[in-house]
Amino acid sequence: VLPFPSQVVYNRVGKCGSRTVVLLLRILSEKHGFNLVTSDIHNKTRLTKNEQMELIKNISTAEQPYLFTRHVHFLNFSRFGGDQPVYINIIRDPVNRFLSNYFFRRFGDWRGEQNHMIRTPSMRQEERYLDINVCILENYPECSNPRLFYIIPYFCGQHPRCREPGEWALERAKLNVNENFLLVGILEELEDVLLLLERFLPHYFKDVLSIYKNPEHRKLGNLTVTVKKTVPSPEAIQILYQRMRYEYEFYYYVKEQFHLLKRKFGLKSRIRKPRPRPEFFIPSPLETEEPIDDEEDDEKWLEDIYKR
């Protein structure tokens, strides 16, 4: 019997399918009887030392088993004397994530958020309808660094250097993925992410894939799709790609690790040869075959992860 982690943290990255996953978690928490601890704070990912201590204290005293979820950069519980929880997360192609956020802040999603201006009340009309190409090509703050350096800090942590685009933050983020995260999945392969979560954390995610595939749930999930998205010009995309080179190095690293994990558990993906630059807008779901027989050391591998 695998050890049962009673503390799980999903420090969800913005616009990486997290609202879809939280919808699933609400259903699963009632079904399996774990404590889903969510936060109403969506725009404070960086915390002072005192804020970190307070949040870790509040999380650690929650009724167990719990799954805590919030948009927040990685917290090192052990630094403040707490037990390090099991971390999970999901990321996506950096440019697609940026574009989803850009248009969501302006126009909301299919839930009928005509009141999306409440979400960004200080945004002026000329800013709300700013052409994405103008924003990128004329180097507006929203479309340039450091705001484009977004995914890596969620894994690097709360250190001030984690917010500076560069090798230091990138390498620290990779190290944390290896040492503190049970699973970092890829949104483009969400069904495989859910399958592995169900395998690794059955007390939380048992039956998640069947719930996700349910047509009624799909209708709910479709309501969270950002509306009015437009495609930037190839020139603008290339500029974004250059500005986000650290984000892409991290994304490809996580993707490679995720594919290694899939192969270990018998999920075979059809891997295409890399193209000169990312395939930003053409969805390319990878085919997943039926799991093969487990390797003998699979349980040992999971047990080692839980003991970290």
Side-chain angles (χ1 to χ4, degrees):
V1 177
L2 291 173
F4 169 43
S6 58
Q7 304 170 85
V8 178
V9 172
Y10 171 33
N11 64 320
R12 50 193 183 122
V13 181
K15 305 312 296 175
C16 289
S18 64
R19 286 188 297 161
T20 297
V21 176
V22 169
L23 279 174
L24 291 167
L25 285 170
R26 290 205 173 104
I27 298 169
L28 291 165
S29 65
E30 293 186 9
K31 184 178 177 67
H32 301 315
F34 64 85
N35 182 18
L36 178 62
V37 184
T38 60
S39 173
D40 294 328
I41 302 172
H42 302 294
N43 58 356
K44 190 172 178 59
T45 57
R46 309 163 184 175
L47 309 177
T48 65
K49 184 177 179 180
N50 286 337
E51 288 171 337
Q52 292 177 57
M53 292 173 65
E54 187 66 23
L55 180 57
I56 287 173
K57 179 183 175 182
N58 291 339
I59 297 171
S60 300
T61 55
E63 182 183 350
Q64 298 183 14
Y66 69 73
L67 191 151
F68 174 77
T69 178
R70 172 179 163 176
H71 295 299
V72 64
H73 296 167
F74 174 77
L75 292 162
N76 190 337
F77 282 57
S78 58
R79 179 188 175 199
F80 300 100
D83 294 329
Q84 192 72 354
V86 167
Y87 268 90
I88 58 173
N89 217 323
I90 301 171
I91 65 173
R92 73 190 288 191
D93 178 284
V95 165
N96 277 338
R97 194 221 67 82
F98 163 74
L99 293 175
S100 181
N101 184 64
Y102 183 90
F103 292 105
F104 177 72
R105 290 182 67 241
R106 288 161 168 77
F107 307 117
D109 55 29
W110 287 108
R111 289 178 295 176
E113 291 189 10
Q114 287 82 8
N115 63 340
H116 58 264
M117 294 183 185
I118 296 173
R119 187 178 302 279
T120 50
S122 61
M123 187 177 284
R124 302 184 306 274
Q125 283 296 92
E126 59 269 27
E127 184 183 359
R128 193 175 300 281
Y129 293 98
L130 175 65
D131 182 88
I132 184 68
N133 289 302
V134 173
C135 184
I136 297 167
L137 297 175
E138 297 188 12
N139 206 24
Y140 278 65
E142 187 177 358
C143 299
S144 57
N145 279 317
R147 294 195 192 179
L148 294 179
F149 193 70
Y150 182 87
I151 297 174
I152 286 175
Y154 275 87
F155 299 88
C156 178
Q158 296 289 336
H159 193 286
R161 290 187 69 182
C162 287
R163 303 191 290 273
E164 299 172 5
E167 291 289 337
W168 189 91
L170 170 65
E171 293 306 318
R172 182 160 172 157
K174 289 180 181 179
L175 184 66
N176 275 333
V177 166
N178 293 335
E179 294 188 350
N180 292 295
F181 282 79
L182 174 66
L183 177 70
V184 182
I186 301 296
L187 182 61
E188 292 84 356
E189 301 169 43
L190 181 57
E191 288 194 9
D192 284 346
V193 177
L194 298 178
L195 195 69
L196 288 177
L197 285 171
E198 187 171 356
R199 171 66 189 270
F200 297 165
L201 299 170
H203 297 84
Y204 298 89
F205 287 95
K206 188 176 182 342
D207 300 322
V208 65
L209 202 53
S210 60
I211 296 170
Y212 173 71
K213 288 183 174 182
N214 184 294
E216 291 302 313
H217 182 270
R218 283 296 179 96
K219 286 180 185 177
L220 284 175
N222 288 339
L223 293 178
T224 65
V225 175
T226 302
V227 299
K228 295 189 179 181
K229 281 197 288 189
T230 58
V231 179
S233 68
E235 180 188 3
I237 292 173
Q238 192 61 40
I239 289 172
L240 277 182
Y241 184 41
Q242 293 302 322
R243 290 175 184 169
M244 302 173 86
R245 61 188 181 278
Y246 293 113
E247 294 274 273
Y248 269 102
E249 186 172 340
F250 181 71
Y251 172 73
Y252 288 132
Y253 175 80
V254 167
K255 190 173 184 178
E256 181 183 21
Q257 297 302 308
F258 181 61
H259 285 166
L260 287 172
L261 198 57
K262 283 172 61 174
R263 287 199 294 276
K264 182 175 180 65
F265 286 90
L267 301 175
K268 297 181 180 179
S269 301
R270 188 180 70 235
I271 309 298
R272 298 179 181 178
K273 291 182 180 179
R275 301 199 173 210
R277 63 187 179 100
E279 233 180 309
F280 293 116
F281 305 106
I282 304 173
S284 54
L286 302 180
E287 292 181 357
T288 302
E289 299 176 5
E290 289 298 313
I292 58 175
D293 292 337
D294 301 332
E295 297 179 12
E296 291 182 359
D297 64 344
D298 283 351
E299 274 73 14
K300 180 67 168 59
W301 177 86
L302 276 176
E303 195 169 342
D304 290 343
I305 288 284
Y306 289 140
K307 286 179 179 177
R308 285 178 182 172

